[in-house]
C-alpha cells in the first residue's frame, strides 16, 4: 500500500472515530439526528482549521469565536458572548462601582443611544447629552459589534481614555475623548416638594437601589409626606431582584411581574407589602426600560399610581448569565416579562395614563408639574 493511501486511511479512520465519538455524545445529551449532523459539520470545520490553517491556531480563541458566532446568529441585541474582560466589566457594573464615563445606553433599531448622563461624571463634563447616538468607540463602528458589547468597550481602567464618535440631531458628527473614572452609582435619591409631595428619582436598578430607595422613602415619611412621585425617566433598568424589592415598599400586596419562558413555564414575583399605599404618580419616557417598565407596569395594572409622561422603551426580555470555563460567560435572553394583567412589555412599552411630551423650551419640568397637579388634586379631595 502506498504512503498516500496509508495517510488517507489513517485520516479517514481518525475522522470516523471522532465522528462516532461526537455522535455518541450527541445521543447521550439528547440531540437528534439532524442536530448530530450539524455537530459533525462543526467538528469537521474545526479540525480542518486547526490542522490545515496556514498559521498556528489558538484553540481557545477558536472556541471563543465559535460561541460568539452562535450568539450573533440569534439576531438579539441583548444576547452576547462575554469574554473574560467583558464578563469582569459586567460584574463590576452590577455591583455599582466601575471605571467608566457615567452614561446609560439603550439599544433599539440597530442604534446605540445615550439614555441618560449621570451628574458629576466624565460624560457630563465632556458635554454628552441624553439622546446622543454613539456611532463608534475607539474607531470601531458600533454597527460592527453587538449593541450590548458597546458598553463593555466604553468601560475600562480608571485614568485611561476612550474616544466616542457622537451623532446629535441637527449637528455634525463629533469626536469626544473622555478619561474614565471610578463611577459610584447612587441610584435613588429623594426630596420633599411643595404641599408635602415626596419625590424620589431612580436612575437605575442595581444591587444598592432598594436600600437607597428605602432610606429616601422613610425619610420622606418622617417629614409627613402625603403622596409620592417616582421618577423613572431615562432609567435603563437593571436587576430584577432590585425592582421587586422596591415594589415591595410601594406596591400593594399581589403579583408584580411574571417571567414566561419558551416552554410556557412561569416565574412569578409578588409584593408582600401590607403597609400604607400613598397616592402616587410615576414619570416615564421613551428611555424608561426593562426594570423601570416592570415597576411602572405593576403600579399601573394595580391602579396604585397614575403613569405620566411618554410611552416607555419596550425592553421586556429577561437575560440570564451563564459562566463558562475560562472566566467567560454567555448572556442570553431566556424569557419575557408580563405585567400583572398579562401584558407583554417587549417591543411595546408601557403607555402612560396621561401623555405629556417633555417640553425643553419651558423653564419648568412640565411632566413633573403635571404629576404635582394630579397629586395636589388627589390630596385635596
Amino acid at each position: 500500500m502506498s504512503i498516500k493511501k496509508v495517510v488517507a486511511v489513517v485520516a479517514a479512520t481518525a475522522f470516523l472515530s471522532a465522528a462516532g465519538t461526537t455522535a455518541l455524545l450527541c445521543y447521550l445529551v439528547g440531540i437528534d439526528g439532524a442536530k448530530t449532523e450539524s455537530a459533525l459539520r462543526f467538528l469537521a470545520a474545526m479540525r480542518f482549521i486547526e490542522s490545515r490553517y496556514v498559521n498556528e491556531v489558538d484553540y481557545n480563541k477558536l472556541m471563543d469565536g465559535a460561541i460568539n458566532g452562535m450568539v450573533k446568529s440569534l439576531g438579539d441585541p441583548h444576547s452576547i458572548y462575554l469574554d473574560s474582560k467583558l464578563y469582569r466589566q459586567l460584574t463590576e457594573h452590577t455591583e455599582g462601582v466601575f471605571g467608566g464615563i457615567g452614561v446609560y445606553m439603550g439599544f433599539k433599531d440597530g442604534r446605540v443611544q445615550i439614555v441618560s448622563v449621570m451628574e458629576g461624571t466624565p460624560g457630563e463634563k465632556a458635554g454628552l447629552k441624553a439622546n446622543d447616538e454613539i456611532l463608534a468607540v475607539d474607531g470601531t463602528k458600533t454597527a460592527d459589534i453587538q449593541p450590548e458589547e458597546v458598553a463593555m468597550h466604553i468601560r475600562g481602567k480608571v485614568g485611561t481614555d476612550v474616544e466616542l464618535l457622537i451623532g446629535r440631531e441637527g449637528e455634525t458628527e463629533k469626536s469626544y475623548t473622555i478619561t474614565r473614572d471610578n463611577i459610584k452609582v447612587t441610584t435613588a435619591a429623594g426630596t420633599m416638594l411643595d404641599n408635602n409631595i415626596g419625590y424620589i428619582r431612580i436612575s437605575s436598578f442595581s444591587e444598592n437601589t432598594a436600600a437607597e430607595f428605602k432610606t429616601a422613602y422613610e425619610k420622606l415619611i418622617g417629614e409627613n409626606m402625603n403622596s409620592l412621585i417616582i421618577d423613572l425617566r431615562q432609567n435603563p433598568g437593571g436587576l430584577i431582584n432590585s425592582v421587586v424589592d422596591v415594589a415591595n415598599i410601594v406596591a400593594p400586596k399581589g403579583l408584580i411581574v411574571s417571567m414566561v419562558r419558551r416552554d410556557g413555564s412561569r416565574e412569578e414575583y409578588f409584593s408582600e407589602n401590607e403597609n400604607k399605599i400613598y397616592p402616587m404618580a410615576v414619570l416615564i419616557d421613551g428611555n424608561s426600560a426593562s426594570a423601570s417598565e416592570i415597576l411602572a407596569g405593576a403600579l399601573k395594572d394595580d391602579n396604585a399610581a397614575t403613569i405620566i409622561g411618554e410611552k416607555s422603551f419596550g425592553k421586556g426580555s429577561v437575560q440570564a448569565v451563564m459562566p463558562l470555563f475560562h472566566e467567560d460567560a454567555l448572556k442570553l435572553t431566556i424569557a419575557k416579562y408580563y405585567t400583572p394583567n398579562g401584558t407583554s412589555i417587549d417591543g411595546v412599552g408601557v403607555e402612560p395614563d396621561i401623555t405629556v411630551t417633555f417640553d425643553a423650551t419651558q423653564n419648568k419640568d412640565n411632566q413633573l408639574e403635571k404629576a404635582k397637579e394630579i397629586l395636589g388634586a388627589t390630596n385635596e379631595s
Side-chain angles (χ1 to χ4, degrees), residues 26-42:
C26 289
Y27 172 76
L28 291 175
V29 297
I31 298 177
D32 60 25
K35 291 178 182 176
T36 299
E37 183 180 340
S38 293
L40 290 172
R41 286 172 54 223
F42 170 77

Side-chain angles (χ1 to χ4, degrees), residues 157-177:
K157 187 177 180 180
V158 172
T160 59
D161 290 342
V162 61
E163 183 179 352
L164 303 184
L165 181 63
I166 297 295
R168 184 175 296 165
E169 187 175 356
E171 299 182 16
T172 56
E173 296 174 3
K174 182 179 177 181
S175 180
Y176 292 78
T177 299

Side-chain angles (χ1 to χ4, degrees), residues 78-83 86-88 90-91 94 148 152 239 318-324 327-334:
H78 304 295
S79 294
I80 181 175
Y81 168 66
L82 302 165
D83 61 23
L86 297 181
Y87 184 36
R88 184 172 62 253
L90 175 69
T91 303
T94 57
E148 288 266 353
M152 307 300 179
L239 303 175
V318 185
Q319 284 70 45
V321 176
M322 182 180 76
L324 300 176
E327 297 182 344
D328 55 349
L330 188 61
K331 184 179 181 183
L332 189 70
T333 298
I334 61 166

Side-chain angles (χ1 to χ4, degrees), residues 77-216:
H78 304 295
S79 294
I80 181 175
Y81 168 66
L82 302 165
D83 61 23
S84 58
K85 179 181 177 182
L86 297 181
Y87 184 36
R88 184 172 62 253
Q89 290 171 338
L90 175 69
T91 303
E92 289 170 352
H93 175 60
T94 57
E95 288 174 350
V97 182
F98 55 93
I101 63 172
V103 299
Y104 290 109
M105 287 164 285
F107 315 113
K108 199 171 188 179
D109 301 326
R111 301 172 63 201
V112 180
Q113 198 167 31
I114 293 177
V115 172
S116 63
V117 182
M118 290 180 252
E119 293 182 6
T121 61
E124 184 190 48
K125 293 173 184 175
L128 298 181
K129 298 179 180 180
N131 298 318
D132 283 349
E133 183 177 358
I134 301 176
L135 304 173
V137 181
D138 288 334
T140 301
K141 294 181 180 178
T142 54
D144 294 339
I145 55 179
Q146 287 284 83
E148 288 266 353
E149 194 174 344
V150 175
M152 307 300 179
H153 281 288
I154 291 175
R155 296 179 200 134
K157 187 177 180 180
V158 172
T160 59
D161 290 342
V162 61
E163 183 179 352
L164 303 184
L165 181 63
I166 297 295
R168 184 175 296 165
E169 187 175 356
E171 299 182 16
T172 56
E173 296 174 3
K174 182 179 177 181
S175 180
Y176 292 78
T177 299
I178 306 172
T179 303
R180 298 179 178 97
D181 199 356
N182 278 320
I183 307 298
K184 178 63 177 76
V185 184
T186 300
T187 57
T191 188
M192 186 70 78
L193 305 178
D194 295 338
N195 301 318
N196 290 86
I197 298 174
Y199 169 89
I200 300 178
R201 159 83 175 140
I202 307 177
S203 61
S204 68
F205 289 92
S206 70
E207 289 184 350
N208 302 319
T209 302
E212 293 169 355
F213 183 90
K214 184 178 181 182
T215 297

Side-chain angles (χ1 to χ4, degrees), residues 49-50 53-59:
I49 293 170
E50 195 177 29
Y53 182 62
V54 65
N55 296 323
E56 191 72 24
V57 174
D58 184 321
Y59 183 76

